[in-house]
Amino acid sequence: MNIAVCIKQVPDTEGHIDVDRRSGSITSPNLVINPLDVLAVEEAVRIKGQLVDVRVTVVCMGPDIAERALRGALSMGADEAVHVWDEQLVGSDSYVAGRVLATAIGPEQYDLILCGQMAADTQAGQVGAVIAEILEIPLITAVVSIDLNLQSGRMEMQRKVDGGKREVVQTSLPAVLTVESGINKPRYPTLRAIKDAEKKQIEKLNLKALDMSPNEVGATGSLIKVVSVSVAKPSIKNLFVPDSNLLAIDRINILMSGGISDKKAEMILGGLQEAASYFVQFVKERKLL
Amino acid sequence: MSIGRDVLVIAEQHEGELHDVSLELLSEGCRVADELQGELCAVVLGNNVGHLTQPLAKHGADKIYSMENPLLVDYSGEFYTDALSDFIGDLTPKIILCGATSVGSDLASRIAARIGIGLVSNCISIKIDQNDLLFTKATHGNQVHTTFKCASQPQIATFEPGALEVKKIGIAKKIETMNVAASLNPDKQKSKVTGTIQTDLTAMDLSEADVIVAGGKGVGSADNFRLLEDLAYALGGCVAGTRMALDAGWIPSDRLVGQTGSIVRPKLYIACGISGALHHTLGMKNSKTVVAINTDANAPIFRIADVGIVGDLLDVIPSIVEQLLELKAQV
Ligand SMILES: Cc1cc2nc3c(=O)[nH]c(=O)nc-3n(C[C@H](O)[C@H](O)[C@H](O)COP(=O)(O)OP(=O)(O)OC[C@H]3O[C@@H](n4cnc5c(N)ncnc54)[C@H](O)[C@@H]3O)c2cc1C
């Protein structure tokens, strides 16, 4: 089985993000592999450990520095890496990224294409769908577990749906799967694996190699364009006095996040039955049952 | 029809019942359509969904399209995309609105990819600037607000349930309803849903729970915690608790809510015998509705509750559970 995993290098959104409103640039001191893509790599490597003859190829579109992301994935156990970049790709949206990745992956090369459900920077969740559409293969989003007992070439998996439920889906292969948090716990590569990954050859592809024209990509080819960016500011809510036994940092965080809103609770002091009926009526009306 | 000025809301239904997000989208769609001087259209897919046109009309839709086909009874990404893509191609709306639910997010990404149109998922707001629609959404771990403009027409945006308000229900306008045939080929279906599993409520991640029944020191004993389990069971929710409950050994550590535990935002959070210390409320203040049960009428938890019941949880909870079970027995 051949598995392709699409990975993106993103600013570490767990840490501080710098926003320059004027230039529109968003930077962070740390670049990481998109956390859900790490799970996709882990899942591919897990499959490789359980089935015979599995090759895992990681594919990344991004500037030169994105090579770090590919090396990271190799150190987790991927076999090969493909790095797609061209200056013309600057300013591409998720739609273009999906098209470029689909072209790099190509038809009929892979049985399984794994992506993270969304990128932590754009929070779009679009790339997997575009790849599936272009390659004309099925798409299953928000996958949280994969059953490796293939039944006549079909794969079964579970996807996360609202209300804590799981949908069981069967699909023919090849297919694109986007993975959600909870699918696995990614491994920490060993020092030896990190060293070995440094020595591996990485295949480089540019637009010409993909036979794509500059008009199809970058800002020109994109369907959505960024107009402006700003630091997300919470709306100010009522504060209750942060109690002094909280750490200073937590008190600051409460203030910064807009505090806690003071709701005017409907107070019920009446009899037991009354209180219970009020509650039941309330949850019924709010459709919480 | 006003070409390129209409708003299309993709209404979501499950087992013949409209998802609330559809009404929220209609309210927002109404505003946008007015500003664009276009019409507000709604489309609903399913089988036997004719009864849904009334509520859709009441919430402002000018035109309602229903697509009926036995293959559309339950959501199928492939069939819904096939059915809608052709329809959208004919309708040529300016903008399509869809819920950022598990169904809507999946569907919107497929439609955008199929037709090749711009998608802005999990929007916070839409503004109209001359002829352009400006979409703002949170990005970069919700630390940044980014505003986008789409180069395509139509364009599609999704909104999380609860992000928009439902405007007052008006009187149903004179509406046009139309049935649209969906030509679907079951032989072409490549992936298919074979079942749905309810995850074990005691093992489910708290962040996924719609309903959480949380207990604090006021619960008093591990035995009394059973009452909370009964309530959670009756509501289809998870049990959780405060640090005090954890320290007393009444809940496992993965059920702790608060600064040092999980941050949760269920639709319903029921705080039983919880004082409402900031360490705890930090983890649950974003719950959609909070109900508090406490003997102390001055407990701080009541300040962030929608409903406060002043009383002994040992009496109140069994009484609620009894009524809930009666209600269930009726249906
Ligand atoms: C660094 C630090 C981190 C912390 N992190 C967390 C955290 O992540 N999560 C967390 O929860 N706590 C945390 N705490 C603890 C927190 O400060 C509070 O002590 C704790 O939340 C209080 O728990 P409680 O509400 O269950 O108990 P109490 O504050 O003792 O409240 C019990 C309540 O039950 C009511 N009651 C009593 N009997 C009944 C009855 N029969 N019926 C109805 N009501 C009744 C009482 O009126 C009272 O309001 C942390 C503390 C520190 C110092």
Side-chain angles (χ1 to χ4, degrees), chain A residues 13 15 17 19 26 95 120-126 129-130 133 136 138-139 141 154 158-172 222-232 240 242-243 245-246 250 254 257 259-263 265-269 272-273 275-280 282-284 286-289, chain B residues 20 78 101-102 106 109-110 112-114 116-121 134 137-152 190-199 204 208 210-211 235 259 267-268 270 278-279 281-282 285-291 297 302-310 315-316 319-320 323-324 327:
Chain A
T13 56
I17 299 281
V19 181
I26 297 169
Y95 182 73
D121 55 352
T122 58
Q123 300 183 196
Q126 174 69 347
V130 175
E133 192 59 40
E136 296 183 43
L139 163 76
T141 59
R154 289 176 75 84
Q158 291 183 16
R159 58 185 298 265
K160 206 188 250 186
V161 292
D162 291 342
K165 297 198 178 73
R166 303 284 178 265
E167 224 170 53
V168 184
V169 180
Q170 258 191 17
T171 183
S172 60
S222 292
L223 296 173
I224 64 175
K225 306 192 191 305
V226 175
V227 178
S228 64
V229 292
S230 63
V231 177
F240 50 113
D243 66 62
N245 76 27
L246 284 175
D250 289 322
I254 294 169
S257 72
I260 296 175
S261 59
D262 211 355
K263 297 185 184 174
E266 199 78 50
M267 296 297 277
I268 312 165
L269 301 143
L272 196 56
Q273 289 304 323
S277 342
Y278 185 90
F279 171 86
V280 172
F282 178 82
V283 292
K284 227 169 101 183
R286 299 250 178 145
K287 299 209 175 71
L288 295 166
L289 278 181
Chain B
D20 282 345
E78 292 180 19
T101 55
S102 48
D106 184 81
S109 72
R110 287 172 193 266
R114 172 73 56 87
I117 56 176
L119 163 71
V120 185
S121 44
L134 301 178
K137 67 170 278 186
T139 61
H140 299 81
N142 298 333
Q143 294 193 52
V144 180
H145 281 176
T146 305
T147 301
F148 293 96
K149 194 165 88 177
C150 293
S152 69
K190 293 173 189 151
S191 67
K192 130 173 184 198
V193 178
T194 56
T196 309
I197 304 171
Q198 176 63 61
T199 40
M204 186 164 114
E208 270 192 76
D210 277 343
V211 176
L235 291 163
Q259 183 202 25
K267 290 185 188 144
L268 176 62
I270 307 178
L278 267 171
H279 292 115
T281 51
L282 276 176
K285 65 181 172 128
N286 290 330
S287 305
K288 213 167 159 202
T289 23
V290 176
V291 174
F302 286 128
R303 301 181 58 176
I304 59 160
D306 298 273
V307 173
I309 301 176
V310 182
D315 303 324
V316 177
S319 188
I320 290 175
Q323 293 205 16
L324 283 173
L327 194 74

Side-chain angles (χ1 to χ4, degrees), chain B residues 32-308:
Chain B
V32 176
D34 280 349
E35 280 197 55
L36 292 171
Q37 298 181 318
E39 286 184 313
L40 178 60
C41 310
V43 60
V44 57
L45 291 77
N47 199 28
N48 299 325
V49 287
H51 62 286
L52 297 179
T53 48
Q54 266 306 313
L56 292 173
K58 269 197 189 164
H59 284 83
D62 299 303
K63 277 189 185 151
I64 298 161
Y65 300 86
S66 55
M67 287 186 158
E68 310 230 7
N69 190 315
L71 294 173
L72 298 174
V73 163
D74 295 316
Y75 176 69
S76 144
E78 292 180 19
F79 287 146
Y80 272 49
T81 308
D82 287 347
L84 280 169
S85 300
D86 288 344
F87 168 72
I88 291 167
D90 293 340
L91 192 72
T92 61
K94 172 129 184 132
I95 171 176
I96 303 162
L97 301 178
C98 190
T101 55
S102 48
V103 164
S105 302
D106 184 81
L107 181 60
S109 72
R110 287 172 193 266
I111 290 177
R114 172 73 56 87
I115 321 182
I117 56 176
L119 163 71
V120 185
S121 44
N122 293 357
C123 269
I124 303 170
S125 71
I126 301 181
K127 282 209 184 76
I128 295 152
D129 176 33
Q130 315 215 351
N131 228 352
D132 285 325
L133 292 173
L134 301 178
F135 303 89
T136 302
K137 67 170 278 186
T139 61
H140 299 81
N142 298 333
Q143 294 193 52
V144 180
H145 281 176
T146 305
T147 301
F148 293 96
K149 194 165 88 177
C150 293
S152 69
Q153 174 133 337
Q155 36 208 279
I156 183 163
T158 67
F159 282 86
E160 258 184 56
L164 299 167
E165 269 179 50
V166 179
K167 297 263 164 58
K168 264 218 160 64
I169 300 181
I171 304 162
K173 295 187 229 177
K174 253 190 89 181
I175 44 146
E176 281 179 59
T177 54
M178 268 157 276
N179 276 311
V180 190
S183 57
L184 301 167
N185 183 354
D187 299 335
K188 270 179 43 188
Q189 189 179 25
K190 293 173 189 151
S191 67
K192 130 173 184 198
V193 178
T194 56
T196 309
I197 304 171
Q198 176 63 61
T199 40
D200 180 359
L201 291 171
T202 56
M204 186 164 114
D205 203 72
L206 283 182
S207 62
E208 270 192 76
D210 277 343
V211 176
I212 293 178
V213 180
K217 196 176 170 199
V219 176
S221 71
D223 255 1
N224 293 346
F225 237 88
R226 296 265 172 82
L227 298 173
L228 275 68
E229 283 166 20
D230 293 346
L231 180 56
Y233 179 77
L235 291 163
C238 294
V239 171
T242 65
R243 157 102 10 202
M244 292 295 184
L246 173 66
D247 288 347
W250 303 335
I251 54 162
S253 59
D254 65 337
R255 304 283 105 172
L256 172 67
V257 170
Q259 183 202 25
T260 47
S262 303
I263 310 283
V264 299
R265 39 179 293 187
K267 290 185 188 144
L268 176 62
Y269 190 91
I270 307 178
C272 313
I274 292 176
S275 61
L278 267 171
H279 292 115
H280 180 74
T281 51
L282 276 176
M284 47 67 73
K285 65 181 172 128
N286 290 330
S287 305
K288 213 167 159 202
T289 23
V290 176
V291 174
I293 306 171
N294 199 307
T295 39
D296 175 6
N298 294 316
I301 190 74
F302 286 128
R303 301 181 58 176
I304 59 160
D306 298 273
V307 173

Side-chain angles (χ1 to χ4, degrees), chain A residues 112-124:
Chain A
L112 203 55
I113 297 158
L114 301 180
C115 306
Q117 208 277 318
M118 67 162 61
D121 55 352
T122 58
Q123 300 183 196

